[in-house]
Amino acid sequence: MSKLGKLFKRGGSSRGRAAPSPQEALARLRETEEMLGKKQEYLEARIRRELSLARTHGARNKPAALQALKRKKRLEKQLSQIDGTLSTVEFQREALENAHTNTEVLRSMGLAARAMRAAHADTDLNKIDDLMQEITEQQDVAQEISEAISQRAGLGEDFDEDELLAELEELEQEELNKKMTNIRLPSVPSSSLPAQPVRTPGPAGTAPRPRAAPSRRAGGEDADLQHLAAWAS
């Protein structure tokens, strides 16, 4: 039996043991990644040193230069194996992290579902319908009360609007009659108006005589007549 088979057979005897938690497995994988990373840095430093030795010996000491190159090749092979192992470990760690995240999400969703079930355990749909109907009825009652309060109370103010308008027109007519009564009419002159002098031509070469200017009394009477005519119209 190969050593690998013996290893897996030996590991199979530990199935009865409790499986490690995701946190423990992740911690071990991160430690392994850190160890492999340090191994990479060590091999890369060794490769650089062997390459430097080969360049130093060169043509002066060919056997030593060839030995340095052989060591460099072995180190590069080891480094390639380390790179592959590190990639596998990183892939496993990421897969475990995703699985752990999915598990936690499902556990949280299960807790939420149980909490909702417990919250709705004492809830009756028929009671909810009755409650909503009662709330709607109370809202309608409150609306009716608000409308009743906002309406203006009559307080015996049922008057006929046509009668009020007729009374208002009578008051306006009385006020107009009073104003007409208080108007003072101008007195009509008893004497006739003075005759307008006729313009007579003068001797040749002289300007005609102008009419006589009306007196102030005649001007005042004309203003009174105009005021009377305007009132009559």
Side-chain angles (χ1 to χ4, degrees), residues 24 42 61-62 66 77 81 97 104 124 140 148 152 165 181:
E24 293 175 353
Y42 171 74
N61 190 355
K62 270 189 176 181
L66 291 174
K77 186 177 180 180
Q81 293 175 351
E97 288 176 347
E104 291 297 326
D124 188 359
D140 294 338
R152 295 180 58 186
L165 291 174
T181 304

Side-chain angles (χ1 to χ4, degrees), residues 2-67:
S2 63
K3 294 182 180 180
L4 188 61
K6 291 180 180 179
L7 178 63
F8 279 104
K9 186 176 180 181
R10 187 183 302 170
S13 62
S14 61
R15 290 182 179 177
R17 300 177 183 176
S21 64
Q23 291 83 359
E24 293 175 353
L26 288 172
R28 292 293 299 273
L29 288 173
R30 292 190 181 99
E31 291 176 358
T32 304
E33 286 184 33
E34 185 178 358
M35 179 191 66
L36 293 174
K38 292 180 179 179
K39 185 69 174 179
Q40 276 183 327
E41 294 177 357
Y42 171 74
L43 292 175
E44 289 173 353
R46 285 284 307 276
I47 290 172
R48 288 193 297 270
R49 188 174 63 182
E50 297 298 336
L51 183 60
S52 177
L53 288 174
R55 288 175 178 174
T56 301
H57 293 296
R60 292 180 301 176
N61 190 355
K62 270 189 176 181
L66 291 174
Q67 290 296 325

Side-chain angles (χ1 to χ4, degrees), residues 108-121:
S108 300
M109 293 175 66
L111 290 174
R114 289 195 295 272
M116 292 179 64
R117 191 182 304 112
H120 295 158

Side-chain angles (χ1 to χ4, degrees), residues 7 15 17 26 28 34 54 58 61 83 105 135 147 149 156 159 178-179 186 193 202 204-205 221 233:
L7 178 63
R15 290 182 179 177
R17 300 177 183 176
L26 288 172
R28 292 293 299 273
E34 185 178 358
N61 190 355
D83 290 339
V105 170
I135 292 175
E147 291 178 356
I149 293 175
F159 301 116
K178 288 181 180 179
K179 291 181 179 180
L193 297 176
E221 290 176 354
S233 61

